Amino acid sequence: MRLRWGDGAAYSHAMSADPHSGPDAESDWTDALMPVITDGLRRCRDCPLGIHTRPGLSLPAREAVHDVLDRLISVLFPGCHRHEAVPADGQDAYYRDRLREVAETLKDQIRRAYAYQYAFDGAPPPGDAETPARRAVTALVQALPRIQETYLQRDIMAAYEGDPAARSTMEVVISYPGVYAVIVHRLAHLLYEQNVPLVPRIMSEHAHALTGIDIHPGARIGPGFFIDHGTGVVIGETCVIGANVKLYQGVTLGALSFAKDADGRLVKGIKRHPDVGDNVVIYAGATILGGDTVIGSDSEIGGNVWLTHSVPPGSSVYNRQPRPLVRRKGDAPAP
Amino acid sequence: MRLRWGDGAAYSHAMSADPHSGPDAESDWTDALMPVITDGLRRCRDCPLGIHTRPGLSLPAREAVHDVLDRLISVLFPGCHRHEAVPADGQDAYYRDRLREVAETLKDQIRRAYAYQYAFDGAPPPGDAETPARRAVTALVQALPRIQETYLQRDIMAAYEGDPAARSTMEVVISYPGVYAVIVHRLAHLLYEQNVPLVPRIMSEHAHALTGIDIHPGARIGPGFFIDHGTGVVIGETCVIGANVKLYQGVTLGALSFAKDADGRLVKGIKRHPDVGDNVVIYAGATILGGDTVIGSDSEIGGNVWLTHSVPPGSSVYNRQPRPLVRRKGDAPAP
Amino acid sequence: MRLRWGDGAAYSHAMSADPHSGPDAESDWTDALMPVITDGLRRCRDCPLGIHTRPGLSLPAREAVHDVLDRLISVLFPGCHRHEAVPADGQDAYYRDRLREVAETLKDQIRRAYAYQYAFDGAPPPGDAETPARRAVTALVQALPRIQETYLQRDIMAAYEGDPAARSTMEVVISYPGVYAVIVHRLAHLLYEQNVPLVPRIMSEHAHALTGIDIHPGARIGPGFFIDHGTGVVIGETCVIGANVKLYQGVTLGALSFAKDADGRLVKGIKRHPDVGDNVVIYAGATILGGDTVIGSDSEIGGNVWLTHSVPPGSSVYNRQPRPLVRRKGDAPAP
C-alpha cells in the first residue's frame, strides 16, 4: 500500500482505509513506517547540541543515584526509612556492609559523570575518572558522622521544636518532607563541593520531585535549618544561609537579574542569590532576590513580602497589608 | 459474639471486651464484619455516577501509561533516563525493537480508553476501538523525530541558555523538571489532538506529580519553551503560547470565570485561558487569567503580577511594589 | 599508609598520592576508613534525641503503608488505579480477599506504631499494641462503604461539576490529584481520630509527595470537597471545613502565630487554624490564618487575598487589585 507521509491524521486516514489493517496486520504497518522513523531518530541523534549520549559513554543512571540516596539515609537513620530489622548487636558489621555497597555504587556513578564531562571538555582522558570519583566518595562517606552530628541532629530538633503539630522527633524523621529535602541537600552539597558533575543535581532534583522543595546543591546552609510544608520553596545556587533559619512554603531565595556578556550570553558562576543571617524566619510566599541582598540575623520576613534590598539585623519586614475588601456577595464583581 | 454496628470506637470497644479477641481470633472478627462491609461496597459499586469500572471493561492502567512515557523518552534520548547501554552500532535495531514494544503497549492502553468511552457514550461498538487506537499510536510514533527536531531541541537549548546554573546541556536533559514536563506535554498533546480519551491526562498528571508543573494536554505551546524551577505552574487547557517563552515557578495561566448554561451547569470546551505571544518572560508567581487576555509578543510580566486584561507587544508589566515596612523587631506586631 | 583526617579534600589529596590507590586497592582504603566511620555512626546512634530506632523495635515501614493506601483505594474503586481485572461475578470474594490482605498488613504497621510510642512513653507495655491496632483497623475497614457513600461520591461529583476541563467522572477518579489527596485524607483522618501514631502522617505525606497538597490528617473536612490543580495547598491540623468547599492551587489555611509556654516552648494541640463554612470558594494563592478566623458560609475569597480575621456568611472578599504598571519595555526597569 502507498503511504502518505503527511501529518498523523492524514496518514492514519490512509491507514484506516487499508483493507489489511486488522489487528493481525500489526507488523505490516510498523514495518512500513519504521525506516522513516529510525532515519529521523538517527538524524536527531547526530545533532551537535550535546543532548545525546556518546557511544561507549554511560551517563550516571538516575535510578542508581536515587537508590544510593535511600541507602545513605538508611545508614544515617537505620530502620527509619527502609523496612529492615536493625540488629541490636553487630552494629559495626551492619554499617560496614552497607557502607561498602553504597560506596561502590556511588563511585561507579560518579566515575561515569567525570568520564562524561572529560569526554566533552577534551582532557584529561576518561581513564582518570576513577581517581576523582574515589576521592569524592571517600570525602562523602567519611563525612557522614559529622553531617549528622553537626547538622542533621540540629535540623531535626529545629523541626520538632518549630512545629506545634509534631508529635515526636521520630515523626519528624520519618515523615517531614522539609527534613528529607535538607538531608538530601547536605549530601548533594558535599559532592558539589568536590566538583562532581551531574550527580549532585540528580540528587537535589529527586528531593525536589518528592517534596516540591528546590534547593540547588550549591547553596550553603547552616545547621538547625527547617522548612515547614515546603512545597514551592526555591533556594538558588549561590545562597548563603546562617544557623537556625526557618522557612515556610513558597519562599523564593532567587536571582534578581542575570548578567550577560558581550555576546548577550548569561554569565555563569557569579553570586546571584541572597545571603540570610542566623535565626531568621521567612514566612510563606516571601520572595527575596539578588546577590547583593543580605537579610540581617534575627530578622523576620512576613508572608508574601517582596524584598530586593538588604535589611539590618533584628529587622521585622512585612507588607502594609491592604485590608481586603469585604462585601456582601453580589454587591461587587467576583475577584 | 454479638456486635454493635455503631461507629468504629463503639464497635472496637465491644471487640476489646471480646474474650476471644487474641491475635489468633483474627479470622473471627473479619468474618463477622465481612458480610456487612462487602454488602456496602457492592452497594457503592452500583451507584450511577460512572465512578466505577464496568464488568468486562478494563481502563487504561496508570502504571502502564507511565512506563510507556519512560520508554518513549528513552527512545528520544537513549541512555539519558534509563540505565541501559546504547549500542555504537546497530542503532536502527535499537530503535526498531523499542518502538515496536512501546507502540504495542500504548496501543493497548489507548484501545481500552476508546472502548471505555464508547461503552459510556453508546456507539460505536467497543470492537471498533482497535482502529482509532492504532491510528493515534501511528501518529505519535511517526511524529517523534519531528517533535524532537522542531520542539525539544529548542526547548532544551532555551533551558541551557536561560539558566546561569546550567553546567551542560546534558545536565538539563537528565535533571531539569521543567524540561521533563515539556517533553511529556509534547507527547500528551499529540494524543489529545487525536481525541484520545483519558490517556493524555494520565500522562500530564504523571508529569505534574513528578514536577509540580500542571500543563493540561490541550495547551498549545510553541518551541523554545522553558519553565525554570516550575513547582506550582498551572497552564490551562485552552492556552495558546508562542515561541521562546520562559516561565518561572508559581505562574498561573488560568480561567477568570466559568460560563454556565441555563441549568447553572458549567459550559465545557470554550476558550477560557490566555494567549501568550513570542519571546515573553513571565516571572515567579504571576497570575494571568481569562480567555480574552492576550500577552503581546516580546513582553515581560513581573513577579506576582495579577493580570486579567490584554497588554500590547513589547510591554513591561509589573506591580507598583510597595516597599515593605522594615522596623526593628518588637517595634511592630509580627506579620 | 598514614591518613590525614582533615576535610575530604585534604584526605583525598593524601589518597591520590597513595601509590596503592589503584582500582584494585579498593578494599584497602575502605578498610582504613571504616573503623573511624563506624565509631562515628555508633556515636550518632547513641544520641538521646529520639531520632533513632531502638533495638528490637520496628517502625512502621513507609513502603508498606503506601502499599496499604494503594490497596484500600483499589477496594474503594476496583480496577481504576491498579492494573487488575475485576470479576463480573464473585465480587464479594474479590472484596473479601483484598480486605483480608490489607487489614492484616495495616494492622501490623499500626501495631508497630503503637508499640513504638508505648516504648517512648513508658506504659502500657508494648505487648498491648495488638489490641488498639486491631481496633483501629476494624474501625477503618468497616467505615469504607460509609466513607465512599457519604464523602467520596460527593467529592468526585464536585470535581466533575466544578471543572470545565473534566471530560468524564472516570477521568476525575483516575487522574485528578486533588481527588486522590482527598481520598487519602479521608482514610488518614479516620486513623488520626483513633489516635494512631505515625501512620496517618505517613499517609498524608505520601499524598503530599504525589500531589503537592499538604492536608494534615487532623483537619476535619465536609463532603463535596474539591481542590483544583492543588500544588502548594496547605491545610492545617485544626482546620474545620464545611460541605461543598472548593479550593484552588496555593491556598493556605494556616496558623497566624504560635502560643508559647513559660519556658518559651510551643504549646501543642490547641486550635491554631481557621474554620471555613459551607459552599465557600477560595481562589488560587489566598492565605487565611488563625484559629479565631471563621469564613462564613457561601463566601468567596479572591486570589492572593491575605485574610487574618473572620468574615460573615455570604461575603465576597478580594484585594483592591492595583492595576499593574504597563509600560513600553525599556521605559522602566525590569521588575
Side-chain angles (χ1 to χ4, degrees), chain B residues 282-307:
Chain B
I282 308 178
Y283 288 97
T287 302
I288 303 173
L289 303 179
D292 299 328
T293 303
V294 179
I295 307 302
S297 293
D298 307 301
S299 294
E300 192 170 64
I301 312 299
N304 291 354
V305 160
W306 177 275
L307 193 60

Side-chain angles (χ1 to χ4, degrees), chain A residues 83 100 135 138 148 323 327, chain C residues 11-12 31 52 316 320:
Chain A
H83 193 172
R100 277 237 174 68
R135 186 177 298 154
T138 304
Q148 177 161 165
R323 270 179 85 86
R327 302 190 184 170
Chain C
Y11 171 68
S12 47
D31 286 347
H52 289 288
S316 180
R320 299 173 182 76

